[in-house]
Amino acid sequence: MGESNISGEGQLADLQIPQHIAIIMDGNGRWATQRGLPRMQGHLEGHKATHRVVEACAELGVGVLSIYAFSVENWQRPAAEVTGLMGLIEQALREELDDLHRNNIRFIASGRLSELPASLQRLIVEAQERTAENPGLVLNLLVNYGGRAEIADAAQALARRVKAGEIDPDHITEELVAQHLYAPQLPEPDMLLRPGGEMRMSNFLLWEIAYSEIVVMPVLWPDFTKEHLIEAIREYNRRQRRFGGVTTDDALP
Ligand code: IPE
Ligand code: IPE
Ligand code: MG
């Protein structure tokens, strides 16, 4: 499966590191409200947690980190919060880009990017181009992303190819659908992590998480640390993945 192991880090040495970790970064608003602060303050603290976790994933040898920053449904929030979030995403990426590049991280973004503010679209293109050859962690930022939107966009792309006579409808397989998603080059997430305690998917990577191990943690995103990430990876290591089959222990002779 291509998972790597960390060596020389004491108790961590035996842990299998998920190749692809996907995170629903949730709980910023509650973190702020609990402190009598405006919600935007929670998003600013959430950015610090994102920085910590990206760094930790690079150190631990994670292959891909997908982070959910803004959903297609999040436009429904008050205009000030939407504007604040778009500004923060752009500012954070601008500030982090040198560091990402220096740490060999390859940046990509997934979502309906053409609906984002023009300045953010330009920055995303710049970040993707600048880091395209980097061999380290792939950081996949999900922004204006919806799982259903992604599947609908894939259906549109396939329909156009059928209309152009390039493919026969009978040849549309799961693999072909997957090839028309936003980031077909990525492996599917091994672990789906949701801080903030909510037991739902909120339209995140609906196709790709078919067999991901789900880990929900009560800690709010602004409080999330490398230790929480390691705790989640430990939980992942206790899971027995079967992909619909049987384990060798259970298998009848
Ligand atoms: C997650 O935090 C960040 C985004 C959705 C952009 P929330 O803002 O959803 O925080 P809670 O869930 O209200 O606490
Ligand atoms: C999911 O969180 C979206 C992001 C983290 C970007 P939400 O806070 O928007 O999800 P719900 O509303 O609790 O389902
Ligand atoms: Mg939320």
Side-chain angles (χ1 to χ4, degrees):
M1 295 235 325
E3 278 104 337
S4 55
N5 279 337
I6 329 166
S7 51
E9 284 208 51
Q11 301 166 300
L12 288 178
D14 296 332
L15 279 187
Q16 190 177 46
I17 302 298
Q19 194 191 354
H20 182 174
I21 297 178
I23 306 182
I24 302 175
M25 305 187 291
D26 197 27
N28 298 350
R30 278 163 283 167
W31 184 94
T33 304
Q34 283 171 5
R35 287 163 178 76
L37 298 167
R39 289 176 59 86
M40 212 44 228
Q41 204 59 42
H43 296 313
L44 291 172
E45 285 298 316
H47 168 220
K48 295 183 193 167
T50 307
H51 181 96
R52 287 193 291 272
V53 169
V54 171
E55 204 165 61
C57 283
E59 281 169 22
L60 292 170
V62 173
V64 183
L65 173 65
S66 290
I67 49 175
Y68 202 7
F70 194 92
S71 75
V72 291
E73 286 82 18
N74 287 148
W75 297 104
Q76 298 166 47
R77 294 190 179 196
E81 186 170 346
V82 169
T83 311
L85 279 166
M86 282 298 149
L88 173 61
I89 292 167
E90 186 171 332
Q91 188 200 330
L93 180 54
R94 210 176 285 288
E95 278 174 21
E96 302 281 352
L97 185 51
D98 283 345
D99 253 17
L100 294 175
H101 191 43
R102 205 172 314 115
N103 291 320
N104 279 325
I105 294 170
R106 176 147 48 103
F107 174 85
I108 61 170
S110 299
R112 287 188 168 159
L113 306 180
S114 64
E115 294 169 3
L116 294 172
S119 55
L120 178 55
Q121 287 185 50
R122 282 193 299 272
L123 179 61
I124 285 172
V125 170
E126 181 194 333
Q128 291 188 150
E129 286 177 355
R130 221 177 123 194
T131 64
E133 305 300 324
N134 288 346
L137 173 72
V138 176
L139 177 63
N140 179 24
L141 179 75
L142 288 100
V143 55
N144 194 27
Y145 175 87
R148 288 177 175 176
E150 181 179 26
I151 294 167
D153 288 352
Q156 280 193 15
L158 284 164
R160 275 192 294 270
R161 295 191 60 191
V162 168
K163 201 175 166 196
E166 290 170 24
I167 43 180
D168 176 341
D170 290 341
H171 294 158
I172 297 179
T173 57
E174 290 184 16
E175 289 70 24
L176 197 64
V177 175
Q179 280 167 25
H180 289 79
L181 298 174
Y182 295 142
Q185 73 280 21
L186 301 183
E188 289 173 3
D190 300 294
M191 177 169 86
L192 172 78
L193 176 58
R194 184 161 191 159
E198 305 289 5
M199 302 277 189
R200 57 175 172 256
M201 284 306 133
S202 302
N203 203 11
F204 188 47
L205 295 175
L206 297 181
W207 177 282
E208 296 88 338
I209 58 161
Y211 272 101
S212 304
E213 293 298 327
I214 300 170
V215 179
V216 175
M217 295 173 79
V219 57
L220 302 174
W221 183 245
D223 291 325
F224 206 90
T225 63
K226 182 179 182 182
E227 285 62 45
H228 292 112
L229 179 71
I230 291 170
E231 194 183 318
I233 294 174
R234 286 193 200 288
E235 171 60 25
Y236 172 81
N237 275 255
R238 288 191 284 271
R239 304 289 175 85
Q240 194 180 55
R241 303 186 78 182
R242 285 193 288 276
F243 299 97
V246 288
T247 58
T248 32
D249 294 352
D250 299 340
L252 292 169

